[in-house]
Structures are given as structure tokens and as C-alpha cells.
Amino acid sequence: MGLLTDPGKSEQMAKLLAKNYAKLSALAYIVGLCWTFAIVDDHFTLRTYFSENALLPGLVEPAFTSTDEAFAKMQYKLLIDLQRKPDSHFPVDFLHDAFRKLGLEAYVHSYNYTLPGDGHKHGKSVYAILRASRANSQESMVLAAPYRSSKTEKVRTEGGIALLLALAHQFRFKHYWAKDIIFLVTENEHIGAKAWVEAYHGIDSSVVASEPLKDRAGAIQAAITAEIPGPNLDYVDARIVGINGQMPNLDLLNLVRLLCSQQQIPLVIQGNSQLLERTPQNMMGHYLRDLQTASAMVTSAASGQLEGNHGFFQQFNIQSLTLRGLKKDANRNGRIGFLDLGIAFEGICRSLNNLLERFHQSFFFYIMPATQRFVSIGLYMPPLGILVLPLVLTALHLWSKGSFPVGEGNAAGGSSTVGTVLPWIVLSHAIGLGAFTVGLSALSTLPDTAAMMVGLGATLAVAFSTPVLTSRFLREADANLLHSLTLIELAVGLYALSMLNFSLALIVAMIAVPVAILQVPTNRTLRTLLGGLLLVTCPTLVMLGVKVWEGLRTGAVFSLNDLDKVKDEWLLPLSDLFMQYVVYGNWLSPVLCLFLLPVWVCTWMVYWTSG
Amino acid sequence: MDRRGAVQAATLVVMGAIGFTLRLPSLSPGVQRFVEDRVEFSVPTNAWRRAAEGVFLHESGVDPYEGDMYHETPLCLIFLTKAKSLGETFLNRLFPACDILTAICLYFFAKNLVEAMIIQQRKDYASLKPKVQLLLTPFEDIPKVPLAVFIWYILNPFVIGSCMAKTTSVFTNLLLAAMLLFTSFGSNPVARVASLVFLALASYQTLYLFLLFPALHLYLMTSVPDKQRSRLWYELGHLVVNLGIFGVTLSGLVIFSSMIMGSWTFLRGVYVFAVSSPDLTPNIGLFWYFFTEMFEQFRTFFVCTFFMNVCLYAIPVATKLRHDPPFAIFVLLILITIFKPYPSYGDVGFYMSLFPIWRRLEPLMKQTLIVSVMLLIAVVLFPVLWKLWIIAGSANSNFFYAITLVFIASQVFFVCDVTLAHEKRQWQLKNNAETLEAIHLD
């Protein structure tokens, strides 16, 4: 055990560290940053490939013919007609009848849901089960489509529902199904999907209360959600990012991509239509396009938000993605119709039908710079590790400064122990917990945003005013130790977070690492500069900034003249974060309040104590 | 009682009350449900759910050891059946009350031990250089250390969680604490017998604790007059008597159990289970992954090897640390926790709260930062990787096992570090040598 027992080694290390830690930290951060940006490049990424041989994609003759296409078109027209009616609503009876007429077991699932600060509401879903002829209902797959009212600004979905009906029409008499196929149409966007998936697995949640399902099929192996507006599309966008940055198994995406390409359906990810064009020949253009796609995926994963209803399936260990049909130009008809889509979907289902085990090969953790290239976990973890390394180095240095004092420092105020700084750490976490509780409880008082505003202001005020306490009670010697412990907490937290949601950890590391490791300089200007930097990186303010920026990008108008509007448009997005936590478990708000805010408060305390 | 004593007593009462409240499941049902499901707290040998199942089977007239669910001892079964019949509220108070009792036992144990340590070192090290004197346990430790032990136990999140999850580790810890307390009373013969009986009870409850016997025997020998200790026959006589008391009590307990149960099936359900570890539910120990990966035909061989590995340390550690048997018990408790098949946070929390007794070693320890950071990482990542593996299905068992290794490694580092620091201190005191390296003591 020479590693642990060699006396004097640690002192040597401490000296070496004290001399070089600043350079090393800077180097590690820069290397980490460069590496992070480099992994998107073609030289570092891998080409996608099938790991699961059982899938056997695209080996069968398509059975989906123009008869089925005609059926889809007819259903589509019926659906559009229903939509056009003045009192149009979710056509439960129509869908139920349609599936029943096809000979499937069709059921209606009704549920009640309560959003915080909102009354009880009621919703319904329609699902139909096609029983497999070759197996005894032990496994199944889901084809789902959300229903959207005619007033929606999102992608219309009648095409998807019609396609589901046409596929049911095509599949029903086939003898080769070994997995039950569930056709599912939900309303109320994500609430509907959540209600159905939870009811299927017999789980109660605080938001949705639903009646038990009338019938079930086997364990769901995969789910495809279709958001197809209608025929005449140009390309399909595969939405893969789920809640908290969870990804489906890469084989599923490979499968979808392969079967789409067989039908010459252009497939993009992250809605990046640049991927449709020819690959830029110049290196820089090529790289920038990949970078843009990858960073879109990273930000989307970091936000933890839903990209589509598939996110709920992923929470139950069901591999799933959403296929969204898009047009390049709203006024021109594309060349992809129900026939191509039908054949592609049929191929996907036939392939999934071959699965012998649930998806377990291939990758679950990856980032995609292009549809056919990916960065796996083994490639993207090292840069993050190096990016976070400065925290560890600085923490070690500050720690050894405390445990090997250089004479006079010790005499000044005695050495500091963990016990002396513990109250401050507890205080900072209490502030974080307070912010979280305030955020959650303010939700139930919405739409009265005043509560949110007061709560937010109060917690921020407390967080900002901690130096009043520290300047009196926190000694400078302790500040070093507090800094060290804060850095350790940040490092450990980031490494843990990187397992849960790599993208969020990466973004936080990029911003927080350089700010957190800086020690308070004696120079006045630099000191003020660091103070400013700290202010800007306060997690709550950063989040507010991001939300405002998002709002500006989507075209919301922020005018200071109209105070009510300001309240609604500036504060609603922030409370939206807490809403997402309550409704579908987006962890961004707990991470923000219970991890980043306390760390920031500690750094803030250190800033005002030392120097 | 002087003023200081009053303050001390008041602190104890207040901390005890806080600890009791923190452990009540009704305080935070969400946390309670969370810890009950965590594999770090509830393992097959101590999970409340299994215990309750056993009680139910017993009450319905089925032998709970016939199945594969119940692994508590028969006396524990009888005790829990009684306790359960007294109602849910009683049960919810019983576990915290036992934990507080454990803390009180540990408090008095620490008090006796520190006093004994100070008397001993006065005797042994009369004239030391001033710098070496800093290594001695000062008088101010007499009030400080027991309080620290008490607080470490009362506010230890591992122990609190373990108590909230209603694991039977709570009772094992109580028996161990009682054993330590009675041992620390010294030459009183009743206390000696009691400590051996409690060791027998603890071993009856958790098999591996019988390994503490050599160290405990040496501990009991410290209070024997020197005259007797120098004679071989006396030494042997003491060993035979101690072993006899321990052995008779333990076998008496086992025979009594078989009489209650009316059969010997419990031996398979409790002790064979504890050795061969057929239940491979993941936990924070080393066994489950190893035995899932291994070919079945090697099983017997490795079961024997693993069992021997645990047992290997008992005598060498006790012999090497014969001048400080309480420390040997401490080291053995850590080693048993590391190498037994079903360790839980309850065991980890127990030995951790004993650490303040040897807090004078802390300046001599080199790896406190590494150990604590590793421990922190492991504790944070256990639930994270569990979620990724079991619920989300995106990670796999290797991820969870890697973190188990980090956790185990941190404990191994800790035990190495603390033993080394202990030996260093001993050497310095013995040789009146100033220091090997610069020591910074407060």
C-alpha cells in the first residue's frame, strides 16, 4: 500500500500542487473545452451500426400497397372534415368505431388531471390492440399519435392518425405478428401520453388520476409516436431526446433511419433542415453543421424538456421516439405520401417484431452530430472529466493549504476544521431548499404571479445578503476551507449529474468551472470584475436570462410599459420550470435549487470574506 | 452535579429528542418510503419487508424458513411478532427508541474507554518530550469524546436512514453497543459475563460478529491484574472460561431457537444463508456481482474462500493490536462490514460513530480527504446508477458494481489509514520519538 503509506509523499505533492495548480487548472480547462468541441468532428465520431442482429431490418417485401394508401387518404379526409366542424373536439367515437370496424379490440381510457393552480380537467384516449397470432400476448409495441385541435400552432397530426388506421387495416389479417401491436391516440399533449403509460403500468401519480385500463397487451418493447400532418411532406424529423436528456437505444434510431432511407424519405434530427442539403465540401462548413446539430441536441437534453410524447415511454424502459413529418415550404406540396410512410412504418414494425429480447445492445448514451454519426459515452466522458478537473485540483490545493499551514497563517486564527464551516454549508443548502419550496408552493397560487415574484425576490435577497453574516462570523482561514469544500461538492455533483444528464453537466461545467476556481484577487479592478462575473452566473439569474432569451427568439414581446404583461411573460417561464418538475419530473429545477444555488451561495460567501 | 455536567446532560437530552424525532417515519413519509426501498439500507438479512413477511407466515402457522424470503433469527421472529401485535404506533416508536438506547450505550462506553485510556497512558508514558506529549489523549476529551460519539450516532444519516427503513440492523447495533458498554466496565464479573452474553446474542443475530471474540477476550483481559496475566495457566484459564461462557450461551440460544421453532430449518435459513449468500439482489457488498458472473460449479469453492477471507482477519488483527483491544474491535467491525455478504449502511454508520474515540489519530491520518470524497461520490451515485440501471434501463449492472467498488475501496483506504496512524502514534509514544514528519496538532 505504498500509495497510501509513503510518508512525505503527500507533502511533496502538496508543494508541487501549490506551485503548479493554477497553470494545470487553466490547461485542463482549455484542453477540456477544445476536446469537447473537437469530439463533434468526423475524426472522433463513429459511424452508426446495428448491434442487434435480431432486428433484420428491411428484409421483407412490403405489403403496404396503394389500397392501404387509399384507405389512409379516406380516413384523413374524414378526420379533416370532423375538424372543420364548428364544435370539433377529440373524435373518440369515430376512432373507437374505426378501430372496431377493422376488427381490433378498441377501448376508451378516461382520466382526470389536475395541474397546479388549475382546476380539475378531464381527458380521454383511444387505444386498440391487435393481438399477435404467433405469440401469447407477452410482448407488444406501440404506435401512437397525439390528437391536436384545429387551433394548435404545433404540427398537425391528422395524417398520423390516418396512417395508424391504415396500418391497422393492413396488419390485421397478417399471420406473422409475434408481438401485440397497440394503436394509441391521445389528446391533451403530454398529459394524455403520461396518463395512458402510467395506467398501462398501473402507477398512480399526483397529477393524473385515471381509471384502470380495460385490457392490456404484453410488455411494451418499443413505441413510435407519429406526428404526421398529412400527405405531401418533404422530410421527417426524428425526435429522440426524452425527459432529462434520456435517449432511446441507438438501434431504434438506426432502424428508423434505414427504413426511411429505403423509401427515400429524408430523415433529420433536431429539426435541422440543413441536413437535407448536400454535405458541405469545405471542412469548416461541414464541421459547423455538425456542431450546430450536436449542440442543438445537447441544449435540448440539458433543458430536460419533452421533445414529444415518446419521453414518457422512455421513463418505463420502453425504447421510443417521435417521427414528425415536416414541409420545407408550407405552400408547396412535398413528394412523400402515405404510401412511403406506410411502407416505412410497416418495415419498422416488422423489424421490431423480430426482436428476441428487449433492446439492450448498442448505445443508450450518445450525442449525434449527424443522422449517421454518433459520439458514444466513452468518447464524450473524458473531455468532461478534464473540464471538471480544475475543480479537483484547486480544491486539493486549498485543502492542503489548510492542513499544512505555512506558519503565520496558523497563528493568526488557529487552523480551520470542517466543523467550523459546516454551518455555512448548511445555511447555503437551506437557502436552496427554501427557493425550491417557494417555487413549488408559488405554483399552486398561479396565475397570481405576484406570489412567484415575491418568493423569488425573497430567496434572491437572502442569497445575496449572506455576506452580511459571513463578514462578521466567517474567518478568512475558514473561507479557504469553505471554498475547497464547495469545489468538492461542485465536482462530485457534476460527475454524478453527468451520469444522469450529460448535457446539463457539460453546460454547467463550462460556465461554472472557471468562475468557481478563481480565487479572490487583491487587485481592486480584478476583484470587482470577479464580483460581476459571480453576479452574472447566479443560477437563478442565468435561468431567467435563458428563459427570456428563449422567449425573445420565439417572438414574445417584452415591453416594460405593460406591467401585467411583464409579469406574465417574464415570470411564467420560470414557474414553468417548476411546473415541468411537478407534471413530468423535469429535474432541472431541483438541480438548480438544491445543487447549483447552494454552491453559488457558498462561492458568494467566500468572495466577500477573502481578499 | 456541577454546571458542566448539567450542560452535558441537557445536550444529551436535546440531541436524543432531536434524534428520536428525526427517526419517526411519520415525520417524512416520502423519505421513509425512499429509504425502505434502497438496497443500501435494506438487504436480505435485515429488510423490514422480509421480517414482516416472516412474522405473517409464522402467525399463519407456516414455517417461514421453508421459503426463501425470511432470514432473521427465530428469537427475532418471536420478538417482532410480539412487537407487531402491539400495533403500528408502537412499532414506529420501538425502532427509534432502540437506536437512542444504542447511542446512550455508546456514550457511556466512550466515556469509560477514554477514562481508561487516560489512566493507562499516565501509567505507561510518564516522561515524554513536550512535542510527543501532544499525542496523548488530553483530559478535555473525557467530556468531549463521548458527546461526539453520541452525536455522530444520533445525527448519522446512515443510521437514521437505517432506522427509518426499520432494518433489524438497529437491534444488532444495540446488542453490539451493549456488549461494548459492559466490556468497558472492567473487572466487574457480572459485566464480563454480560459482555460475553451480548457478544453471543449479536453473533446469534449476525453470524460474522463471532469474529470479535478474540479481540473481546483480550479486552476483557486488560482488567485482569498483571500478576495473573503473566502466568500461562491463568491466561489459559481465562480463555477457557470466556470461550465457555460465549460458546454455551450461543449454543443455548441456537438450541432454544430450535425448541421454539420445533425444527432445525432455521439453521439453513439464517446461518447457511449468511455464509453461502444465495440471494444475489444487488447491495453495497462485494458478493452479489461476483456470484452472478461466476460459473455455478465453482460456487462452493468461492463460498469457502470468501468465508475464510472474512474469518482470516480476526486473530491477526487482535494479536497485532493486543495492546489496544478496543481499537482491534473497531478495525474488525470495519473489516467485517467490508467483507460480509450483506453489508448495509446500518453497519457502516455504527463503526463510523465510534471513530471520534480515536479522533487523536486524525492529524496522523493522510487520506481523510480522499476517503471522504470517495465515500461522498459512492453515496451520491448509488441511487443515481440504480435508477439508470433498474428503472431507466439505460445503464447496466457494471455501472452499479463500479460504484460498489469505489465504496468498498474507500472503506479499505480508511481502515488502512486509521490502523497506520494508530501504529505510528504507538511507535512514537513508545520510543519517545518526536516525529517521523511534521505533525500539526491543534
Side-chain angles (χ1 to χ4, degrees):
Chain A
M1 281 255 122
L3 174 70
L4 294 178
T5 52
D6 196 0
K9 251 282 177 51
S10 40
E11 244 170 309
Q12 263 176 33
M13 288 279 282
K15 271 184 202 146
L16 207 69
L17 200 64
K19 228 163 118 188
N20 298 317
Y21 82 97
K23 285 177 225 158
L24 280 175
S25 298
L27 187 72
Y29 182 73
I30 293 167
V31 168
L33 211 57
C34 294
W35 194 349
T36 308
F37 281 100
I39 51 170
V40 179
D41 188 72
D42 270 2
H43 295 91
F44 291 85
T45 54
L46 298 172
R47 244 189 116 73
T48 54
Y49 58 90
F50 279 96
S51 275
E52 178 61 89
N53 289 321
L55 280 171
L56 301 172
L59 293 186
V60 291
E61 194 120 305
F64 197 92
T65 55
S66 46
T67 328
D68 303 300
E69 189 195 12
F71 184 78
K73 275 186 179 157
M74 188 182 79
Q75 298 297 336
Y76 177 67
K77 205 167 159 299
L78 287 174
L79 280 164
I80 293 289
D81 286 347
L82 281 173
Q83 283 261 18
R84 291 233 173 91
K85 281 189 184 161
D87 58 338
S88 77
H89 53 85
F90 184 39
V92 181
D93 297 332
F94 168 79
L95 289 169
H96 186 254
D97 285 350
F99 280 119
R100 183 131 287 192
K101 267 183 215 155
L102 290 172
L104 272 61
E105 302 170 19
Y107 305 98
V108 176
H109 167 233
S110 30
Y111 53 90
N112 293 310
Y113 63 98
T114 332
L115 297 179
D118 214 359
H120 289 276
K121 281 185 180 160
H122 182 72
K124 279 181 177 159
S125 317
V126 179
Y127 68 102
I129 304 172
L130 174 66
R131 296 285 174 193
S133 49
R134 277 168 65 172
N136 49 1
S137 275
Q138 281 183 334
E139 292 178 338
S140 62
M141 53 185 141
V142 171
L143 289 176
Y147 171 82
R148 285 177 183 152
S149 76
S150 49
K151 289 183 256 350
T152 186
E153 288 166 14
K154 296 186 177 173
V155 176
R156 302 285 291 265
T157 55
E158 295 82 17
I161 301 172
L163 190 65
L164 248 52
L165 286 165
L167 287 170
H169 178 253
Q170 210 288 311
F171 291 169
R172 57 187 168 154
F173 294 128
K174 295 291 181 282
H175 61 277
Y176 41 63
W177 295 116
K179 291 177 175 47
D180 293 347
I181 301 171
I182 304 173
F183 298 90
L184 170 69
V185 185
T186 54
E187 62 170 341
N188 296 322
E189 291 300 328
H190 50 262
I191 297 287
K194 181 186 165 77
W196 189 84
V197 180
E198 282 180 351
Y200 193 88
H201 295 93
I203 289 196
D204 290 322
S205 75
S206 56
V207 181
V208 185
S210 59
E211 62 177 33
L213 290 190
K214 295 194 184 77
D215 205 352
R216 285 186 177 79
I220 304 171
Q221 305 294 310
I224 309 281
T225 310
E227 290 183 15
I228 311 283
N232 311 320
L233 302 171
D234 283 305
Y235 62 102
V236 170
D237 177 22
R239 315 294 288 183
I240 46 177
V241 180
I243 300 168
N244 295 316
Q246 204 182 341
M247 303 280 185
N249 191 295
L250 190 54
D251 267 343
L252 183 65
L253 183 68
N254 288 341
L255 178 71
V256 168
R257 190 192 51 71
L258 186 84
L259 285 153
C260 283
S261 74
Q262 277 191 350
Q263 290 310 307
Q264 331 248 297
I265 301 173
L267 188 82
V268 302
I269 46 172
Q270 296 304 318
N272 190 350
S273 54
Q274 284 183 45
L275 293 172
L276 296 173
E277 288 146 29
R278 271 175 61 118
T279 311
Q281 286 306 309
N282 63 330
M283 227 175 77
M284 206 55 203
H286 188 155
Y287 172 75
L288 283 179
R289 192 186 74 171
D290 287 355
L291 183 66
Q292 197 189 354
T293 319
S295 45
M297 183 173 273
V298 166
T299 31
S300 160
S303 77
Q305 287 173 13
L306 274 178
E307 274 200 340
N309 287 346
H310 61 275
F312 294 111
F313 289 97
Q314 285 176 8
Q315 301 253 299
F316 288 86
N317 197 355
I318 299 164
Q319 306 313 317
S320 57
L321 48 80
T322 295
L323 292 179
R324 182 176 291 171
L326 292 171
K327 276 185 183 181
K328 270 189 210 155
D329 185 350
N331 302 319
R332 256 195 14 230
N333 279 346
R335 56 171 184 80
I336 298 167
F338 282 128
L339 187 61
D340 304 296
L341 287 169
I343 293 173
F345 269 81
E346 191 206 350
I348 294 169
C349 288
R350 296 280 313 258
S351 240
L352 292 173
N353 191 41
N354 292 337
L355 267 186
L356 300 173
E357 310 168 67
R358 44 171 72 247
F359 281 104
H360 64 284
Q361 304 210 24
S362 196
F363 293 87
F364 286 94
F365 301 97
Y366 54 88
I367 295 170
M368 305 200 78
T371 45
Q372 289 201 48
R373 306 200 73 88
F374 74 105
V375 187
S376 74
I377 181 168
L379 290 173
Y380 68 56
M381 271 306 199
L384 182 74
I386 289 184
L387 207 56
V388 180
L389 197 63
L391 295 178
V392 182
L393 288 176
T394 315
L396 276 177
H397 165 66
L398 288 170
W399 178 275
S400 60
K401 216 162 136 186
S403 39
F404 300 99
V406 214
E408 31 74 52
N410 201 14
S415 84
S416 48
T417 55
V418 177
T420 53
V421 293
L422 202 63
W424 302 108
I425 297 177
V426 172
L427 174 70
S428 63
H429 284 82
I431 292 173
L433 191 65
F436 189 56
T437 332
V438 163
L440 280 186
S441 51
L443 265 189
S444 43
T445 56
L446 278 174
D448 178 19
T449 34
M452 190 76 196
M453 200 134 77
V454 170
L456 192 74
T459 41
L460 270 184
V462 173
F464 279 113
S465 58
T466 43
V468 178
L469 274 178
T470 49
S471 60
R472 190 160 306 171
F473 300 111
L474 184 68
R475 289 174 312 160
E476 214 178 312
D478 294 338
N480 271 336
L481 189 65
L482 180 61
H483 196 183
S484 168
L485 291 180
T486 309
L487 293 182
I488 289 174
E489 187 189 343
L490 185 59
V492 171
L494 282 177
Y495 284 133
L497 189 62
S498 69
M499 295 304 306
L500 280 171
N501 187 345
F502 168 79
S503 308
L504 183 58
L506 180 69
I507 290 178
V508 172
M510 277 182 182
I511 301 171
V513 168
V515 183
I517 58 167
L518 284 181
Q519 277 156 65
V520 184
T522 37
N523 185 327
R524 255 195 107 112
T525 335
L526 285 177
R527 203 184 139 82
T528 324
L529 213 65
L530 178 61
L533 206 61
L534 264 178
L535 263 184
V536 175
T537 48
C538 174
T540 324
L541 295 183
V542 169
M543 211 53 235
L544 200 61
V546 168
K547 286 288 171 188
V548 168
W549 184 69
E550 253 177 24
L552 282 176
R553 250 181 41 157
T554 51
V557 188
F558 294 104
S559 71
L560 283 168
N561 302 330
D562 190 356
L563 209 64
D564 275 346
K565 215 169 171 192
V566 169
K567 267 200 308 192
D568 284 354
E569 290 190 344
W570 286 56
L571 289 171
L572 268 178
L574 209 64
S575 67
D576 192 39
L577 213 59
F578 288 98
M579 184 72 104
Q580 284 170 10
Y581 169 72
V582 175
V583 176
Y584 59 78
N586 181 350
W587 290 330
L588 192 56
S589 55
V591 166
L592 214 62
C593 293
L594 303 180
F595 167 49
L596 293 176
L597 191 61
V599 166
W600 183 85
V601 169
C602 280
T603 325
W604 185 242
M605 287 176 185
V606 170
Y607 171 76
W608 284 101
T609 313
S610 31
Chain B
M1 204 189 277
D2 58 2
R3 215 174 128 253
R4 216 185 217 176
V7 171
Q8 181 103 350
T11 325
L12 282 184
V13 171
V14 171
M15 290 320 271
I18 292 176
F20 187 79
T21 325
L22 279 177
R23 283 164 169 77
L24 288 177
S26 49
L27 188 72
S28 45
V31 176
Q32 202 260 338
R33 241 171 298 144
F34 175 74
V35 291
E36 205 176 32
D37 290 338
R38 298 300 315 145
V39 285
E40 297 100 298
F41 289 104
S42 302
V43 293
T45 48
N46 74 2
W48 170 246
R49 224 167 259 177
R50 288 170 185 261
E53 170 83 6
V55 170
F56 178 78
L57 288 174
H58 182 63
E59 278 173 342
S60 345
V62 181
D63 183 0
Y65 301 104
E66 290 288 339
D68 205 22
M69 189 71 181
Y70 186 73
H71 307 293
E72 306 288 345
T73 52
L75 285 182
C76 192
L77 179 71
I78 302 300
F79 175 69
L80 288 176
T81 314
K82 263 266 141 22
K84 235 187 149 197
S85 66
L86 290 172
E88 188 72 15
T89 337
F90 174 75
L91 217 53
N92 285 342
R93 303 238 188 311
L94 174 72
F95 282 84
C98 282
D99 236 16
I100 303 301
L101 202 59
T102 311
I104 293 169
C105 285
L106 288 179
Y107 175 83
F108 286 108
F109 162 66
K111 201 169 157 163
N112 291 342
L113 182 58
V114 171
E115 278 169 8
M117 263 155 75
I118 288 176
I119 294 169
Q120 187 67 32
Q121 71 189 18
R122 291 261 129 183
K123 245 193 326 192
D124 290 355
Y125 313 110
S127 60
L128 286 176
K129 290 181 195 159
K131 251 196 177 162
V132 185
Q133 270 179 6
L134 287 175
L135 286 170
L136 295 176
T137 313
F139 279 115
E140 69 196 53
D141 269 11
I142 296 179
K144 264 190 188 168
V145 165
L147 195 64
V149 170
F150 186 78
I151 292 173
W152 273 50
Y153 192 82
I154 284 287
L155 297 183
N156 194 324
F158 291 138
V159 179
I160 294 177
S162 183
C163 184
M164 272 187 135
K166 292 204 203 118
T167 61
T168 52
S169 297
V170 172
F171 304 127
T172 314
N173 286 349
L174 178 59
L175 293 174
L176 269 178
M179 178 200 88
L180 289 173
L181 176 63
F182 281 115
T183 319
S184 68
F185 280 133
S187 49
N188 185 344
V190 181
R192 287 184 56 172
V193 173
S195 78
L196 285 163
V197 168
F198 274 110
L199 177 66
L201 272 167
S203 317
Y204 170 75
Q205 186 67 17
T206 303
L207 176 68
Y208 291 95
L209 293 176
F210 82 88
L211 296 169
L212 295 179
F213 178 79
L216 188 76
H217 168 69
L218 290 175
Y219 193 179
L220 290 171
M221 289 298 283
T222 49
S223 54
V224 174
D226 283 344
K227 243 195 237 160
Q228 295 185 12
R229 274 165 79 183
S230 55
R231 297 220 196 112
L232 183 66
W233 283 111
Y234 272 108
E235 282 229 31
L236 276 178
H238 275 291
L239 179 62
V240 169
V241 170
N242 285 349
L243 201 59
I245 298 174
F246 173 69
V248 167
T249 321
L250 189 56
S251 39
L253 284 168
V254 172
I255 292 167
F256 182 55
S257 306
S258 79
M259 274 154 61
I260 302 173
M261 298 309 296
S263 76
W264 291 93
T265 41
F266 76 92
L267 283 183
R268 190 185 65 87
V270 181
Y271 301 114
V272 175
F273 180 84
V275 174
S276 66
S277 63
D279 190 319
L280 299 178
T281 317
N283 60 26
I284 55 173
L286 289 166
F287 277 54
W288 63 273
Y289 189 83
F290 190 79
F291 283 110
T292 20
E293 294 293 314
M294 196 188 51
F295 290 117
E296 200 56 32
Q297 59 262 40
F298 300 123
R299 199 183 164 88
T300 322
F301 172 70
F302 277 107
V303 162
C304 294
T305 316
F306 274 39
F307 184 69
M308 265 159 59
N309 178 45
V310 193
C311 300
L312 211 59
Y313 302 94
I315 292 170
V317 168
T319 342
K320 176 68 195 160
L321 299 170
R322 62 189 174 280
H323 302 296
D324 194 353
F327 187 72
I329 293 183
F330 175 61
V331 170
L332 280 174
L333 277 175
I334 307 178
L335 287 174
I336 292 173
T337 307
I338 296 173
F339 292 117
K340 73 177 185 175
Y342 301 108
S344 72
Y345 275 175
D347 308 322
V348 178
F350 184 79
Y351 77 66
M352 262 185 184
S353 39
L354 289 177
F355 179 63
I357 298 175
W358 292 279
R359 74 187 190 114
R360 291 285 140 193
L361 297 178
E362 209 246 284
L364 290 162
M365 287 167 67
K366 293 274 168 207
Q367 317 296 342
T368 36
L369 180 67
I370 295 180
V371 168
S372 36
V373 169
M374 278 168 79
L375 202 67
L376 183 67
I377 288 178
V379 169
V380 170
L381 280 181
F382 271 133
V384 167
L385 294 176
W386 180 264
K387 187 185 158 56
L388 286 182
W389 172 26
I390 300 293
I391 295 162
S394 40
N396 55 40
S397 57
N398 299 330
F399 288 62
F400 190 79
Y401 187 61
I403 273 316
T404 310
L405 285 184
V406 170
F407 185 68
I408 297 284
S410 81
Q411 294 184 78
V412 171
F413 280 11
F414 175 67
V415 76
C416 288
D417 202 18
V418 82
T419 318
L420 193 74
H422 184 263
E423 288 305 285
K424 249 187 231 166
R425 174 176 179 269
Q426 212 71 13
W427 187 87
Q428 279 173 1
L429 288 174
K430 221 168 156 186
N431 296 311
N432 198 5
E434 285 222 321
T435 39
L436 288 170
E437 60 235 55
I439 313 173
H440 304 282
L441 295 155
D442 51 304

